[in-house]
Amino acid sequence: MNTGARIRNVINHLEEGFMATALAIMTLLTFIQVVLREFGTGWVWSLEATTYVFAWLVLVGMSYGVRTQSHIAVDIIARKMSPTRRRTMGLAAIILCLLYCGFMFYGASIFVDRLIMLGNNARDIPLPRWLLTGIMPVAFALLAYRFVELGWAISKGEVKGLSAEHHTAVTTNKTPNGDPS
Amino acid sequence: MSALFLVAILFICLAMSVPVAISLGLASISTILLFADQSLLSLSQRFFHTTQIYPLLAVPFFILAATFMTTGGVAKRMIDFANALVGHFRGGLAMAALLACAFFSAVSGSAPATVVAVGSVMIAGMIRSGYSERFAAGVICNAGTLGILIPPSIVMVIYGAVTESSIGNLFIAGMLPGAILTIAMMITIAVIARRQNLPRQPKVSLKEAIHTGLEAFWGLILLVIILGGIYLGIFTPTEAAAVSAVYAFVVAVFIYKDIKLKDVPQVLTESAKTTAMLMFIIANAYLFAFVLTTEQIPQIASEWIVGLGLPPWGFLIVVNILLLVFGNFMEPTSVVLILTPIIFPIATQMGIDPVHLGVMMVLNMQIGLVTPPVGLNLFVTASVAKMPMEEVIRAAIPWLLVLLSVLIIITYVPIVSLIVPSLLGVL
């Protein structure tokens, strides 16, 4: 494995590990809150912490979804096209996705910029708000990077479309009596 | 004008196979930039805010609970129990598959998850026992839709979040319609079984039936915990979801011991992936709904519909058709998020109960799940049954009659949705 591939591999694992940990933390925080309430107590910061962890999970998960091609897309038209046309349309779709990333990145950057200017802390967590929301522009940049990667794979013909793998795997399985396994 | 633009961009993007989430987002952003003086700043602020909406936190927890239940052998035990209960009737295996779907719906809030959990075992089982492939796939594909009607239900969580109505009430209201749909499908299977002379399973002894029941007990009791806890005010629906997830973890790892502790990260990653994918759609659909509101589209639509002078039942027909059409092209959560802001105000004005409307919308979404082109259940059934898509569509179509008749009952007999909550005194 060359260095580039190794770094990518590490990033992939980090992504998965981060998402799994985030979900575990959210679940436990909410569960503990229920238990503590039975004893008439609770952590004030728990709810806010949960929502921020949730936000991070979703934002990191967006680009992970592109890499694993798990975003839902309507590909009925694409599947009926010739491979060349399909590739062209796939690339056009990638450009639209990048446009979306660009808009959201821009908006998120201003958002975080404003929060830096305001400089206030979150409601219950003693951390500045810009730090907690700062993941947002990063996440959209990462999302754009994943779309560029996917676009590259489509142009080289390695991948058929944006959510291709899953659905074509379903439709190309033509044995009417099912798999012998 | 702006409304037309918004919808046109959405459909162009969808047709080009741009992911649903981004299609919704891009349509909203471009409309805002061209027609309104809202900034990109406020849109990204709203995007972030979606993850701070308390009821929506239930979504990842219910997904996690269902993943533990699916991988943790709960589904298999439910199938055994269902088989012990109805297997000895003619067509018993199909009835057991249906009943297992209903059981599993009570621990999972999603229809595709139900199809995977039950279908991966039962479709092959039915075919081995001499059922036609088409019949087996049709039963699972349609029975799987119970996942969003029988509580807990992610679609209901989202409807409750958008309309700010009680998710607990919606859950309780879904039970009776869920039972009715199960019975309706059960009768259909019995009739077909008689005509096609489908096989019976050997009758199990009472002792064995009780044994399978006890085995499945830990899964079945979850619904009682969820509804009981919400109803008694011990926890909120969101907390109920987190409790379910922890409970499912304990059952799968320590009681059934089907999952080893080292497999838990895998379950977490899988659930986190589904969560992120779904929330990405939801966050963008919230942007879409926001643009609808700033462009006053709900008001215009409601003035127009009220101006038509439709009676409530006529309005409900329009709503049903609208939901069915949208449900064919998008998955349930997006449809609910997009259409609820338009339909809900008109419905309240006409005196339609929010809970009744919610149950009705869920039933429409169930039909959308099994109709092409974008029926998630069709895709999932095709992949677990290893059948071509076209074949699954043909298998699912006849069952639409059952779903449609139940939809008509739910739509025009509001008491079916409202009687349980009102008997419990929560409505």
Side-chain angles (χ1 to χ4, degrees), chain A residues 123-143:
Chain A
R123 205 178 54 236
D124 301 316
I125 310 173
L127 285 172
R129 273 182 74 197
W130 66 264
L131 192 70
L132 296 165
T133 40
I135 180 75
M136 204 177 168
V138 181
F140 280 107
L142 209 67
L143 184 66

Side-chain angles (χ1 to χ4, degrees), chain B residues 359-427:
Chain B
V359 174
M360 197 189 100
M361 286 184 85
V362 170
L363 225 100
N364 277 291
M365 293 305 101
Q366 287 181 265
I367 294 173
L369 282 170
V370 292
T371 42
V374 190
L376 272 185
N377 272 24
L378 296 172
F379 290 123
V380 180
T381 310
S383 91
V384 295
K386 302 196 175 65
M387 276 165 76
M389 191 62 191
E390 290 75 14
E391 194 54 33
V392 177
I393 294 172
R394 250 174 253 133
I397 294 292
W399 295 93
L400 275 183
L401 279 179
V402 183
L403 286 175
L404 277 172
S405 2
V406 175
L407 173 64
I408 292 170
I409 297 174
I410 301 291
T411 308
Y412 294 109
V413 193
I415 193 79
V416 175
S417 318
L418 300 176
I419 188 151
V420 182
S422 60
L423 280 181
L424 288 171
V426 287
L427 212 64

Side-chain angles (χ1 to χ4, degrees), chain B residues 164-409:
Chain B
E164 289 172 2
S165 44
S166 152
I167 293 168
N169 285 355
L170 284 162
F171 278 5
I172 292 168
M175 286 197 298
L176 186 60
I180 291 176
L181 182 55
T182 311
I183 293 168
M185 287 188 70
M186 197 67 93
I187 294 170
T188 315
I189 294 175
V191 171
I192 296 174
R194 186 151 299 226
R195 218 173 334 144
Q196 298 191 355
N197 202 13
L198 292 172
R200 300 163 185 265
Q201 297 298 105
K203 198 172 165 99
V204 295
S205 65
L206 183 65
K207 206 176 127 208
E208 212 181 315
I210 293 174
H211 175 73
T212 55
L214 288 177
E215 274 284 297
F217 173 79
W218 295 108
L220 293 172
I221 198 74
L222 181 59
L223 183 62
V224 180
I225 299 178
I226 294 175
L227 291 183
I230 297 174
Y231 180 60
L232 296 174
I234 301 170
F235 37 60
T236 63
T238 301
E239 289 167 346
V243 171
S244 310
V246 174
Y247 175 84
F249 160 75
V250 172
V251 169
V253 177
F254 298 112
I255 299 181
Y256 288 160
K257 299 196 178 84
D258 288 328
I259 301 183
K260 294 193 184 63
L261 264 180
K262 70 170 169 47
D263 301 328
V264 170
Q266 186 60 40
V267 173
L268 283 166
T269 310
E270 203 46 49
S271 313
K273 187 173 110 183
T274 315
T275 300
M277 188 204 79
L278 200 57
M279 279 305 298
F280 188 35
I281 295 178
I282 292 174
N284 282 293
Y286 261 88
L287 294 188
F288 195 85
F290 168 67
V291 176
L292 286 178
T293 327
T294 54
E295 296 306 297
Q296 304 207 313
I297 292 163
Q299 286 90 321
I300 297 166
S302 97
E303 267 166 36
W304 181 67
I305 290 182
V306 172
L308 288 178
L310 283 177
W313 62 267
F315 168 69
L316 286 177
I317 292 185
V318 175
V319 169
N320 275 327
I321 293 172
L322 204 62
L323 286 169
L324 290 175
V325 170
F326 270 72
N328 283 1
F329 290 98
M330 266 178 259
E331 41 72 64
T333 42
S334 328
V335 180
V336 169
L337 280 163
I338 293 168
L339 289 185
T340 308
I342 300 178
I343 295 169
F344 188 73
I346 313 174
T348 1
Q349 220 176 327
M350 290 193 162
I352 295 163
D353 191 278
V355 170
H356 173 216
L357 183 70
V359 174
M360 197 189 100
M361 286 184 85
V362 170
L363 225 100
N364 277 291
M365 293 305 101
Q366 287 181 265
I367 294 173
L369 282 170
V370 292
T371 42
V374 190
L376 272 185
N377 272 24
L378 296 172
F379 290 123
V380 180
T381 310
S383 91
V384 295
K386 302 196 175 65
M387 276 165 76
M389 191 62 191
E390 290 75 14
E391 194 54 33
V392 177
I393 294 172
R394 250 174 253 133
I397 294 292
W399 295 93
L400 275 183
L401 279 179
V402 183
L403 286 175
L404 277 172
S405 2
V406 175
L407 173 64
I408 292 170
I409 297 174

Side-chain angles (χ1 to χ4, degrees), chain A residues 37 70 72 100 107 136 176, chain B residues 20 41 44 133 234 239 277 284:
Chain A
R37 197 171 45 227
S70 46
I72 299 175
Y100 169 84
M136 204 177 168
Chain B
V20 175
L41 165 71
S44 47
E133 190 178 42
I234 301 170
E239 289 167 346
M277 188 204 79
N284 282 293

